[in-house]
Amino acid sequence: MQRYPRDFTGYGPTPPAADWPGGARVAISLVLNYEEGGENNILHGDGQSEAFLSDIAGAAQWPGQRHWNMESIYDYGARAGFWRLHRLFTARNLPVTIYGVATALARAPEQLAAMQSAGWDIASHGLKWVEHKDMPEEEERRQIREAVRLHTEVTGARPRGWYTGRCSMNTVRLTAEEGFDWISDTYDDDLPYWIEAGARDQLVIPYTLEANDMRFATAPGYIEGEQFFQYLKDSFDVLHAEGGRMFSIGLHCRLIGRPGKIAGLIRFLDYAEAKGGAWFATRTQIAEHWAAKHPARRRERPSQMPREAFVAKFGGIFEHSPWIAERAFEMEMGPAHDSATGVHSLLARAFRSASPEERLGVLRAHPDLAGKLALAKRLTAESTAEQASAALDALTDDERATFEQLNAAYVARHGFPFILAVRDHSKTSILGAFRARTANDSTTEFAEACKQVERIAELRLKDLLK
């Protein structure tokens, strides 16, 4: 049994109505990462210097050494960049979410006091601004808990949100277990969504690595503020036209805090204000809104069912052929299959990969349209409802005689009953298809009957998994 964990479906073609406050078209989340003083440094007990997200081209870690230039760039973020951003946001009364590295906040009492005085939302950005991909699970869990402890000690309140950034394959699960109101270590949607973390429902607010000033420090990336402005403007315009979307903007004190870079951000803020339709909100405000408008709702997930339950629920989708559900259960299955379309994909694959003799058995398991079984009320519940949808349960004597003649002629020619997804048809079009298809050669008709069997299954699943 294979279970595939990645979710390629999300909200699919019909995202929920965000219903942002004030009828806003877009919820804009300004996120300021405060990492200065939490980065790799032998002063912090690390084995090397930092090399990530700075203006040093081709930076590399220096094992066992401090890197004066790198430290100086990070220091600029704390000494100058933060205050430039603080003045910008407070002058415009804009809400901001801080991703605060716990050890960095502990080393920045003046900046922290300014964040709190402004009423900014201070989420946790981990214990240290370091790579987690090779960190043992227990060590990462320990560091998450220590980050929460230190954050609470330094700020006076437990963080309600979390973003690691340089995360591991365990990060989302571990942070979900810790009970935050929201977590953001995903980049996979334009709206918040819920995940199931054991018995707990966890709200995820996806973040961004592209509408992010980190692209000033990566290649390809932005080389001037105007490029950053243009990207933010284009993103906002598209999301505004779609409506009901969220737009995260990622910022760093040592990057966007430089005068030539912040100019692009200022232009965007001016543009968004002039255009209108934006709700600037903290991530906690977005989380509270989403939880109120779209609370978590658990549902039965086919990918998580045991074999017996899966076969019991879907074994009758293909008429009297539970073996199809049994084979489908053995296939790779994941969140993408937790819908009518997803289950249909599995069942259809099992049917298509069966031998011609097995598929013929499925065709022969179908009843005649308006035949003797229907008259004797011995059809399955699904077949009964389907035939009734086209009024085949209310035929005149002449109509019934016509169907009996057509059934006999079709079976005599092809060796299996005439099969049609009658819910797609009227009584008149069914009779037309009956007459036309009886004249087909049996190879063509076998293929058409198999297509109709799959369509019948699709319609049944849409009824079952609404």
Side-chain angles (χ1 to χ4, degrees):
M1 181 181 68
Q2 305 173 69
R3 294 296 175 261
Y4 188 78
R6 295 168 66 190
D7 183 356
F8 297 122
T9 303
Y11 290 120
T14 54
D19 194 21
W20 302 127
R25 304 284 295 173
V26 184
I28 298 181
S29 169
L30 296 170
V31 175
L32 181 58
N33 293 262
Y34 196 87
E35 299 157 350
E36 289 75 12
E39 78 279 10
N40 277 287
N41 193 311
I42 62 172
L43 295 175
H44 306 158
D46 304 304
Q48 61 286 313
S49 62
E50 186 55 72
F52 195 46
L53 293 189
S54 78
D55 290 319
I56 300 175
Q61 291 185 326
W62 290 5
Q65 297 183 58
R66 293 174 63 187
H67 191 317
W68 184 259
N69 291 352
M70 182 63 71
E71 289 182 24
S72 186
I73 287 173
Y74 270 75
D75 291 353
Y76 181 93
R79 292 161 57 105
F82 171 82
W83 297 109
R84 180 169 287 121
L85 289 159
H86 183 267
R87 289 190 293 271
L88 171 65
F89 294 140
T90 55
R92 295 172 181 247
N93 197 31
L94 288 172
V96 174
T97 295
I98 296 291
Y99 285 171
V101 174
T103 50
L105 293 177
R107 296 182 174 112
E110 291 285 351
Q111 292 88 341
L112 175 59
M115 297 172 195
Q116 293 178 315
S117 178
W120 291 353
D121 177 24
I122 307 177
S124 182
H125 195 10
L127 182 63
K128 300 168 70 173
W129 176 231
V130 297
E131 186 61 73
H132 291 73
K133 68 181 180 64
D134 297 320
M135 189 176 290
E137 180 176 334
E138 283 307 312
E139 175 59 18
E140 186 173 4
R141 179 181 284 108
R142 185 197 69 79
Q143 290 201 18
I144 290 168
R145 291 174 177 172
E146 175 58 16
V148 171
R149 186 203 66 78
L150 182 57
H151 184 109
T152 304
E153 177 183 286
V154 170
T155 69
R158 188 182 192 277
R160 297 180 63 180
W162 180 281
Y163 174 74
T164 295
R166 298 155 82 174
C167 64
S168 74
M169 290 301 297
N170 299 316
T171 300
V172 169
R173 174 173 52 83
L174 292 176
T175 52
E177 291 172 0
E178 287 299 314
F180 298 104
D181 290 354
W182 55 268
I183 58 177
S184 284
D185 275 299
T186 71
Y187 313 94
D188 53 3
D189 214 301
D190 296 312
L191 287 173
Y193 61 89
W194 296 92
I195 60 173
E196 296 175 6
R200 186 172 179 277
D201 296 305
Q202 175 64 63
L203 184 62
V204 177
I205 304 181
Y207 188 47
T208 177
L209 296 180
E210 38 83 43
N212 192 311
D213 67 358
M214 67 178 288
R215 299 294 293 275
F216 282 111
T218 61
Y222 312 122
I223 60 173
E224 59 185 13
E226 182 65 20
Q227 292 177 328
F228 190 47
F229 159 67
Q230 191 63 49
Y231 192 85
L232 297 182
K233 174 185 177 296
D234 289 346
S235 299
F236 179 62
D237 284 345
V238 170
L239 295 173
H240 193 285
E242 292 179 355
R245 300 292 186 268
M246 182 185 71
F247 183 26
S248 296
I249 301 175
L251 307 167
H252 299 76
C253 300
R254 63 193 175 279
L255 297 175
I256 201 68
R258 295 281 179 174
K261 296 170 184 172
I262 201 172
L265 176 62
I266 293 171
R267 290 190 191 109
F268 171 72
L269 296 176
D270 289 341
Y271 177 81
E273 181 181 6
K275 186 179 181 76
W279 175 45
F280 283 89
T282 68
R283 291 176 97 71
T284 294
Q285 288 174 322
I286 291 171
E288 290 172 343
H289 175 87
W290 201 262
K293 295 290 183 178
H294 300 285
R297 290 188 176 89
R298 295 214 169 192
R299 59 188 175 88
E300 190 175 44
R301 296 182 179 275
S303 67
Q304 297 176 8
M305 288 180 177
R307 174 191 294 275
E308 294 75 14
F310 186 89
V311 175
K313 194 171 188 73
F314 304 115
I317 295 298
F318 281 70
E319 195 86 1
H320 298 296
S321 302
W323 60 267
I324 293 177
E326 291 169 355
R327 292 183 189 179
F329 183 83
E330 298 299 326
M331 294 179 179
E332 180 182 276
M333 197 188 311
H337 300 101
D338 291 336
S339 66
T341 299
V343 175
H344 183 257
S345 172
L346 294 172
L347 297 178
R349 286 172 56 195
F351 176 62
R352 294 167 192 163
S353 62
S355 69
E357 292 76 16
E358 289 172 318
R359 282 182 287 154
L360 179 60
V362 174
L363 301 187
R364 288 175 172 167
H366 276 258
D368 290 335
L369 290 185
K372 295 178 181 178
L373 290 178
L375 191 60
K377 301 188 182 302
R378 291 173 54 196
L379 298 179
T380 64
E382 294 83 0
S383 290
T384 298
E386 288 157 0
Q387 295 205 21
S389 72
L392 300 186
D393 61 340
L395 300 176
T396 65
D397 290 343
D398 287 345
E399 288 173 333
R400 186 170 300 283
T402 299
F403 269 96
E404 289 175 354
Q405 292 168 5
L406 289 170
N407 279 324
Y410 185 94
V411 174
R413 180 170 176 81
H414 300 300
F416 49 84
F418 176 76
I419 301 172
L420 186 70
V422 295
R423 286 164 61 181
D424 292 332
H425 294 269
S426 66
K427 184 165 53 180
T428 300
S429 66
I430 291 170
L431 285 169
F434 221 145
R435 294 187 174 102
R437 285 174 50 188
T438 299
N440 286 340
D441 64 85
S442 291
T443 299
T444 299
E445 197 53 26
F446 181 85
E448 180 60 30
C450 288
K451 286 175 57 178
Q452 293 298 321
V453 164
E454 291 183 19
R455 174 59 176 162
I456 291 168
E458 179 183 11
L459 293 170
R460 290 178 177 180
L461 282 165
K462 287 181 177 178
D463 287 340
L464 188 62
L465 299 176
K466 292 180 179 179

